[in-house]
Amino acid sequence: EAQVTQNPRYLITVTGKKLTVTCSQNMNHEYMSWYRQDPGLGLRQIYYSMNVEVTDKGDVPEGYKVSRKEKRNFPLILESPSPNQTSLYFCASRTIWLGAYNSPLHFGNGTRLTVT
Amino acid sequence: DQQVKQNSPSLSVQEGRISILNCDYTNSMFDYFLWYKKYPAEGPTFLISISSIKDKNEDGRFTVFLNKSAKHLSLHIVPSQPGDSAVYFCAASSTPSNTGNQFYFGTGTSLTVIP
């Protein structure tokens, strides 16, 4: 089954304790991205990657890191989490090859992070 | 500043009637528009899209209309069913999409279909 898998689904941590949220897709998509969803603000892009070793900032990158060492994986790293990073996080992927001129994003089921 | 806006946080409709969800955008460079549906505890799932070369796209009970001059799109669901109760997000992007341009999302409209 084609899917984007995020782990963990729920995470409670304390301020300053480094954490990683994993994301993996099995659709051979070039493009992967992280979003956060907050009440009244919709989905906002944190970082994206167009292919292996190619990453770039989205609208709200502060406090986050990403890496893309393999095509299928795109982990989100919070080096020193703070309470304002409490949010619902979604990983997404899509193909961007020519011929798939406009293709939709496929989302994972989300990770609810609470930082106390 | 929010480039994609959904001004109605919620909408209630009777089963069998039409649901109309609205979305406005500010960036005239946007030319690819999508609607996503989201159930609680799940990620958004793609519903339907439209390119700016069209003004209408249908898929079963779902139709998206695009009015470029008004920078407005709408999603019509006919007939509405209780299983359609979810949060609906509209999103927009500008070409070339194969360069990884961002998708900008609205804040969502929570649709409740009353049996």
Side-chain angles (χ1 to χ4, degrees):
Chain A
E1 181 190 352
Q3 59 186 7
V4 178
T5 304
Q6 296 178 228
N7 281 296
R9 292 293 308 274
Y10 300 91
L11 181 57
I12 301 174
T13 190
V14 296
T15 299
K17 185 175 182 182
K18 181 180 179 180
L19 66 91
T20 299
V21 184
T22 64
C23 174
S24 180
Q25 51 92 7
N26 62 1
M27 295 169 279
N28 202 35
H29 286 167
E30 301 78 27
Y31 181 95
M32 297 185 74
S33 183
W34 277 101
Y35 291 83
R36 58 179 288 174
Q37 183 189 357
D38 301 290
L41 296 176
L43 290 155
R44 295 180 294 166
Q45 189 177 53
I46 303 170
Y47 268 94
Y48 67 94
S49 168
M50 291 182 58
N51 216 323
V52 176
E53 303 292 0
V54 180
T55 63
D56 209 344
K57 297 177 181 178
D59 287 328
V60 288
E62 295 78 19
Y64 304 96
K65 284 176 56 176
V66 293
S67 69
R68 187 91 182 272
K69 299 189 187 315
E70 304 166 284
K71 195 173 184 179
R72 62 184 292 123
N73 295 323
F74 191 45
L76 179 70
I77 303 155
L78 284 73
E79 295 270 4
S80 183
S82 62
N84 65 11
Q85 291 177 299
T86 293
S87 186
L88 180 57
Y89 291 87
F90 290 102
C91 181
S93 72
R94 63 190 283 254
T95 184
I96 57 172
W97 282 114
L98 291 174
Y101 182 68
N102 279 322
S103 64
L105 283 165
H106 299 264
F107 284 87
N109 280 332
T111 296
R112 184 165 292 281
L113 172 65
T114 302
V115 184
T116 61
Chain B
D1 192 27
Q2 198 80 12
Q3 297 194 54
V4 177
K5 300 179 183 179
Q6 294 176 257
N7 292 319
S8 298
S10 62
L11 175 68
S12 291
V13 172
Q14 287 290 136
E15 180 178 3
R17 306 293 292 268
I18 184 171
S19 295
I20 300 176
L21 295 91
N22 294 302
C23 180
D24 297 295
Y25 60 96
T26 58
N27 189 338
S28 58
M29 297 300 292
F30 288 152
D31 57 6
Y32 179 49
F33 305 90
L34 310 91
W35 284 95
Y36 282 82
K37 177 178 179 179
K38 183 182 180 305
Y39 292 119
E42 294 183 11
T45 55
F46 170 68
L47 195 55
I48 191 168
S49 65
I50 188 167
S51 156
S52 62
I53 61 174
K54 294 184 174 182
D55 54 19
K56 176 182 174 182
N57 189 29
E58 284 183 82
D59 184 1
R61 296 185 298 113
F62 302 92
T63 303
V64 56
F65 294 93
L66 175 63
N67 182 334
K68 290 185 288 293
S69 60
K71 295 191 181 69
H72 177 83
L73 67 153
S74 60
L75 175 68
H76 292 210
I77 306 173
V78 183
S80 301
Q81 300 173 354
D84 296 329
S85 297
V87 176
Y88 290 78
F89 290 97
C90 68
S93 179
S94 58
T95 54
S97 61
N98 60 350
T99 64
N101 280 8
Q102 283 195 49
F103 284 65
Y104 293 89
F105 286 83
T107 52
T109 296
S110 178
L111 172 66
T112 301
V113 180
I114 303 163

